[in-house]
Amino acid sequence: MTRYLPVPRHADKWVERNNVRDLARQTVETKVRELRPSAKDGWTIYTGLAGQAYLYWLLARPTLRRPGSARDACLRRARNGIRDCLADQRGLNESRCCTFLCGAVGVWALAAVILGESHYADQVLAWQTRALETDSNELLYGKAGYIAALLFVRDHADFGWALRHRRRRNGNDRTTTPPGGQSAEDRLGPNLATALANAIQTVGKRILSAGHEAGRSNGHHDDDDHLRWTWHDKEYLGLHGTAAILSVLLSAGFRDAAIWQTVDWLHRQRLNNGNYPTQPEPRKPQVLAQFCHGATGIGLLFAQCARIGPSGRRRSTYLAWAQECAEFLTREGFLKKGISLCHGSCGNAFLFMHLYHQTRDNKWLRWAQKYGLLLALERNKPLWSQADEPYCLANGLAGAIYFYSVLGSITDDANTSPDFPLLPLP
């Protein structure tokens, strides 16, 4: 039995006859009113209340071109949501997970950014020792997930340090305008910026060391030399393993030769149909094609490499690999599993939108629009209610709302790729 739904051949005509941007914006307004907090899902970003706070913060970002009043309302909801999460001090203190998506660290990182209070960034840094002690290196439960939290604070928090410093120097001159610079030191202050940079380097080097050690211990031949990490004693290629770890390391500024060698090795795992297996061995035909397993997450890594990798020919090669992944999704990427970012069609469509931003090829925008139109059809309404956590960011309605928000805001002059909430992509 197939796991995907065929995209009708006449879907291109639907896109031509419909204003997809307006439909997307209308879908956002409708679905936001349906969004409900679900206490049973806890407070994590991945499946809990913090994920909804994260959504509202994303909706308030200028790149989505929402009216000022709507952005203000989203920020209020984001602040209220993260405060509700912080109220569960016992649960946060009992958390054993050190990652952005699944641990208390993610709540504190969001609080630092949404509330603009630096002591929450200190809470994130306080987890460094525990992160280094964890056996896992992957994104959901390991060291890469801890770096994702550090990167989120580094890239998005603004504690107005430069402004306060200038006011003190000028005798608390309230007419001083906020600094226009976007450096981490301006936003965070030099001490915190340095502490975050040091933590990122320390944990990243530990991940690389573990990858080298596991690669050597397996005794593989030189033509199969690559960094290796395992999760529950298995080597995974997607979200739980290689692709997500490499993506985080690249976002953190690591450019070791072994990283590029491992990207090349990852491409050699490609199956004949264009998809990628969950694990390198055994090489069984792969039926999963979603962010966490298969072509989507690996395609996003290749697209990232095309943006920041070695200049020249290598970048064009990585871009071609990313487009190969997207081509597979045009055939088998509209999923019966539903709408989610992690397991469903909305997550798959993000690869199309990233490629449109990088190539300006309308083909990829058209495919994202097809997915948006198909999900909005009455006959596909059951796809919206299949998740175990129906309102969450990773698997439910919150993630779909963000997809439609991006789809409704894409313009020809946009110069940055859309944020993907489950992975820190520069």
Side-chain angles (χ1 to χ4, degrees):
M1 184 178 69
T2 62
R3 293 174 178 252
Y4 62 92
L5 295 168
V7 175
R9 292 183 179 179
H10 54 275
D12 281 305
K13 295 182 179 179
W14 292 351
V15 172
E16 293 171 0
R17 290 199 302 262
N18 289 274
N19 188 322
V20 179
R21 186 178 300 174
D22 285 350
L23 180 143
R25 291 172 176 171
Q26 292 166 9
T27 301
V28 171
E29 299 309 316
T30 300
K31 296 301 181 181
V32 162
R33 290 194 291 270
E34 297 176 10
L35 196 60
R36 299 287 183 274
S38 181
K40 75 179 183 67
D41 297 331
W43 39 253
T44 69
I45 290 174
Y46 193 71
T47 60
L49 298 177
Q52 293 187 10
Y54 189 13
L55 167 68
Y56 286 121
W57 177 80
L58 287 165
L59 293 181
R61 302 201 72 194
T63 53
L64 293 187
R65 292 173 166 80
R66 294 171 65 83
S69 59
R71 290 171 56 193
D72 291 342
C74 287
L75 280 176
R76 284 194 298 272
R77 290 182 176 182
R79 293 187 189 108
N80 291 337
I82 201 63
R83 286 180 181 127
D84 287 343
C85 297
L86 292 169
D88 185 11
Q89 283 297 314
R90 181 177 178 181
L92 293 172
N93 291 334
E94 290 178 352
S95 173
R96 297 182 179 180
C97 182
C98 65
T99 70
F100 181 65
L101 293 176
C102 296
V105 169
V107 175
W108 288 319
L110 269 183
V113 171
I114 293 173
L115 302 179
E117 298 179 16
S118 61
H119 63 94
Y120 292 119
D122 295 334
Q123 293 270 52
V124 175
L125 285 166
W127 271 73
Q128 179 178 336
T129 299
R130 279 176 281 187
L132 290 170
E133 291 173 349
T134 186
D135 292 334
S136 174
N137 293 286
E138 53 90 61
L139 181 66
L140 286 184
Y141 304 106
K143 297 181 185 71
Y146 179 65
I147 292 182
L150 296 170
L151 291 174
F152 187 75
V153 175
R154 183 199 70 179
D155 294 342
H156 300 296
D158 188 347
F159 306 132
W161 181 87
L163 175 59
R164 291 196 302 273
H165 178 72
R166 189 177 302 177
R167 284 176 174 170
R168 285 195 300 269
R169 188 181 61 198
N170 296 337
N172 197 28
D173 178 8
R174 293 185 178 276
T175 64
T176 306
T177 56
Q182 295 299 310
S183 73
E185 286 195 359
D186 276 348
R187 293 180 289 101
L188 310 175
N191 292 338
L192 181 55
T194 299
L196 287 168
N198 289 340
I200 290 168
Q201 285 294 309
T202 299
V203 181
K205 288 177 180 177
R206 185 69 64 87
I207 293 174
L208 283 169
S209 177
H212 282 294
E213 183 177 349
R216 288 192 297 268
S217 66
N218 276 273
H220 288 269
H221 299 295
D222 290 341
D223 61 355
D224 196 26
D225 185 28
H226 67 279
L227 298 167
R228 290 174 177 270
W229 300 279
T230 60
W231 189 61
H232 293 308
D233 297 323
K234 296 179 181 178
E235 184 179 7
Y236 289 92
L237 301 186
L239 172 65
H240 294 294
T242 306
I245 294 172
L246 292 177
S247 181
V248 169
L249 290 173
L250 290 169
S251 297
F254 290 91
R255 300 292 186 268
D256 300 53
I259 291 177
W260 305 117
Q261 291 169 6
T262 306
V263 172
D264 293 346
W265 170 84
L266 194 58
H267 180 255
R268 293 198 294 273
Q269 308 312 301
R270 181 176 179 267
L271 301 172
N272 291 334
N273 67 352
N275 200 10
Y276 284 78
T278 301
Q279 300 170 243
E281 299 293 343
R283 290 179 59 82
K284 296 183 292 186
Q286 172 65 311
V287 294
L288 295 177
Q290 55 202 47
F291 167 66
C292 54
H293 296 296
T296 308
I298 292 172
L300 284 170
L301 169 66
F302 292 153
Q304 180 183 7
C305 292
R307 291 194 301 276
I308 65 175
S311 60
R313 187 175 179 181
R314 291 301 299 162
R315 288 194 180 187
S316 62
T317 298
Y318 294 138
L319 183 60
W321 294 352
Q323 292 182 100
E324 287 175 356
C325 292
E327 288 288 355
F328 173 78
L329 295 180
T330 65
R331 300 188 298 274
E332 299 186 22
F334 189 72
L335 303 179
K336 295 178 180 179
K337 295 180 72 172
I339 59 172
S340 79
L341 293 180
C342 194
H343 305 144
S345 300
C346 290
N348 286 351
F350 264 89
L351 179 55
F352 299 144
M353 292 192 290
H354 272 265
L355 287 174
Y356 171 69
H357 277 273
Q358 288 181 242
T359 66
R360 297 300 176 187
D361 186 341
N362 280 316
K363 168 185 178 178
W364 302 122
L365 176 58
R366 185 64 61 93
W367 270 103
Q369 291 172 332
K370 289 179 193 178
Y371 274 35
L373 282 172
L374 286 169
L375 286 171
L377 293 177
E378 183 67 24
R379 69 170 185 248
N380 289 326
K381 193 173 181 179
L383 298 177
W384 289 78
S385 57
Q386 292 184 3
D388 293 333
E389 305 89 3
Y391 299 112
C392 78
L393 181 66
N395 297 325
L397 184 59
I401 289 172
Y402 180 61
F403 160 67
Y404 275 98
S405 298
V406 175
L407 188 64
S409 66
I410 291 179
T411 60
D412 292 337
D413 62 346
N415 56 13
T416 58
S417 295
D419 292 306
F420 188 69
L422 306 185
L423 196 63
L425 295 170

